[in-house]
Amino acid sequence: MLYREAGQFKTTYAEDQQIFPIRQDRIAMGVLLIFAFVVVPLIADQYWFSAILTPFLILALAALGLNILTGYAGQLSLGTAAFMAVGAFMTYNFMLRMPWLGIVPAFVLAGLCAAAVGILFGLPSLRIKGFYLAVATLACQFFVLWVLQRFGWFSNHSASGVITAQKIVILGYEFVSPASKYLLTLAVVAVMALAAKNLMRSETGRAFMAVRDMDVAASVIGIRMMQTKLLAFAISSFYCGVAGALYAFCYLGTVEPEAFSLDLSFRVLFMIIVGGVGSILGSFLGAAFITLLPIVLSVFSAGFSHTTGIEISHAVLSNLELIVFGGLIIFFLIVEPNGLARLWQITKEKLRLWPFPH
């Protein structure tokens, strides 16, 4: 009954084309942002900031980058972690060699470096697609990690290849506490998610979706395949590069190339499959699900052990997590290919017409 459009009249095109045309959606988003920026820092403890909230936001940003490429532009990629690695290591080098630059410009420049790598490895998309394109991006995953390990310049000639992120200072304020790093990550993710939402509503976003739906027809109506596909790779890699920089500076602190392994690329891919391919909201829902599932399983196993007296080993719990991941992916691919975001959309549609059937 609360989710109704009755009485909400649009008198201009600008009102009709705004991001959240329904008033309830605007109010809900405002409340959510106020809660995330104001309430959460007051009630959450260090564990929530360091182990749950900050990695959730970073992985959601990486999933959003992959969703732009795979969900909206239809170009399958398995090199997400490689682009994140480029962002992390280039941010470290920008801060090391140009300390006067500042952390925010370093994030942007590192994202541009990741975008350049994305364009380079996106060139095969002009000739191949589907499984073969996935294999080409998989080569990017192994090549980038090999370069970071082979050439000592990227890790400042560290013997182990490990880098330690520099201090984060913006306008004289040093981000040291987990709460401050969470707020910085939240601000970056909120701005970039808003930019992605607007991008998908623009001419560029419509070109991405036209290429995804039928590239031959898109080419016939005048959409340039080369520019559109390479732009999709560039924007996606930029988002993943910024996510990698946040991953190193706001989450891990000390990072090595192996932290951006193929396993991380698959985790991000699972996020958009479970959350919803081709959906901004789905990137966040998938990241929340994948981040919280191990914690839920851990709490469940502890409760089960306390109730029955049967101890569940960590090895069994780890394998159970993988089994649940695989089962859920199969379930969503069969039952609801558009993921949790589609379920939420169906719920909203039913609320708009409730109690009348449709």
Side-chain angles (χ1 to χ4, degrees):
M1 296 178 64
L2 296 176
Y3 199 72
R4 287 285 188 273
E5 295 181 66
Q8 300 183 33
F9 302 107
K10 309 294 189 302
T11 58
T12 63
Y13 286 113
E15 292 178 353
D16 192 49
Q17 294 297 320
Q18 55 189 326
I19 297 180
F20 301 106
I22 301 177
R23 184 185 303 119
Q24 289 89 334
D25 289 340
R26 295 196 296 272
I27 295 174
M29 183 55 61
V31 171
L32 180 62
L33 289 175
I34 292 174
F35 180 81
F37 276 101
V38 179
V39 179
V40 170
L42 298 177
I43 63 175
D45 56 14
Q46 183 173 349
Y47 170 77
W48 273 86
F49 287 127
S50 301
I52 299 177
L53 294 175
T54 301
F56 153 68
L57 290 171
I58 295 171
L59 292 175
L61 183 60
L64 179 57
L66 180 60
N67 227 338
I68 292 174
L69 180 63
T70 301
Y72 285 100
Q75 309 301 305
L76 186 59
S77 173
L78 296 178
T80 305
F83 302 132
M84 293 177 66
V86 172
F89 276 80
M90 290 310 299
T91 302
Y92 167 78
N93 278 282
F94 280 126
M95 293 300 297
L96 177 69
R97 305 175 198 287
M98 294 184 288
W100 47 266
L101 187 63
I103 190 67
V104 175
F107 283 168
V108 175
L109 290 176
L112 293 176
C113 292
V117 176
I119 291 175
L120 178 63
F121 284 92
L123 290 173
S125 68
L126 304 179
R127 294 293 182 183
I128 59 178
K129 55 185 177 181
F131 171 76
Y132 300 99
L133 179 59
V135 173
T137 57
L138 189 61
C140 169
Q141 173 71 41
F142 294 111
F143 178 77
V144 168
L145 294 187
W146 176 81
V147 168
L148 294 177
Q149 294 170 336
R150 178 67 178 80
F151 297 95
W153 183 87
F154 292 100
S155 59
N156 197 27
H157 300 283
S158 171
S160 60
V162 177
I163 61 172
T164 301
Q166 296 91 342
K167 295 180 180 179
I168 303 176
V169 181
I170 300 178
L171 299 178
Y173 178 78
E174 185 175 348
F175 292 77
V176 179
S177 66
S180 62
K181 291 182 178 179
Y182 157 77
L183 288 173
L184 174 62
T185 304
L186 178 62
V188 173
V189 172
V191 170
M192 297 187 71
L194 178 63
K197 184 70 173 179
N198 274 319
L199 175 67
M200 293 306 112
R201 288 152 31 91
S202 67
E203 180 182 354
T204 302
R206 292 193 293 271
F208 287 169
M209 289 181 274
V211 171
R212 173 197 65 191
D213 295 338
M214 187 176 292
D215 53 355
V216 176
S219 179
V220 168
I221 64 175
I223 295 176
R224 298 178 179 178
M225 288 294 102
M226 184 178 73
Q227 289 88 334
T228 303
K229 289 184 178 182
L230 293 184
L231 181 60
F233 268 95
I235 296 174
S236 170
S237 303
F238 178 85
Y239 272 68
C240 293
V242 175
L246 293 173
Y247 196 71
F249 279 74
C250 294
Y251 177 44
L252 293 179
T254 301
V255 64
E256 59 181 347
E258 289 302 322
F260 302 97
S261 62
L262 183 61
D263 178 66
L264 180 59
S265 293
F266 277 114
R267 285 183 63 195
V268 177
L269 180 61
F270 294 162
M271 289 174 191
I272 68 170
I273 292 175
V274 174
V277 178
S279 168
I280 304 295
L281 176 63
S283 304
F284 289 89
L285 294 178
F289 190 89
I290 300 299
T291 304
L292 293 177
L293 181 60
I295 300 173
V296 172
L297 290 177
S298 178
V299 172
F300 172 78
S301 65
F304 180 80
S305 300
H306 179 74
T307 304
T308 62
I310 301 174
E311 189 71 25
I312 301 178
S313 65
H314 291 288
V316 173
L317 192 61
S318 177
N319 290 326
L320 180 62
E321 178 183 332
L322 296 176
I323 293 171
V324 173
F325 279 166
L328 285 171
I329 290 170
I330 295 173
F331 172 80
F332 278 105
L333 288 175
I334 296 174
V335 178
E336 185 50 78
N338 293 321
L340 295 172
R342 176 57 183 165
L343 297 179
W344 172 243
Q345 184 181 2
I346 293 173
T347 302
K348 288 174 62 177
E349 291 174 357
K350 290 184 178 296
L351 286 174
R352 290 165 74 177
L353 296 176
W354 187 85
F356 303 104
H358 70 292

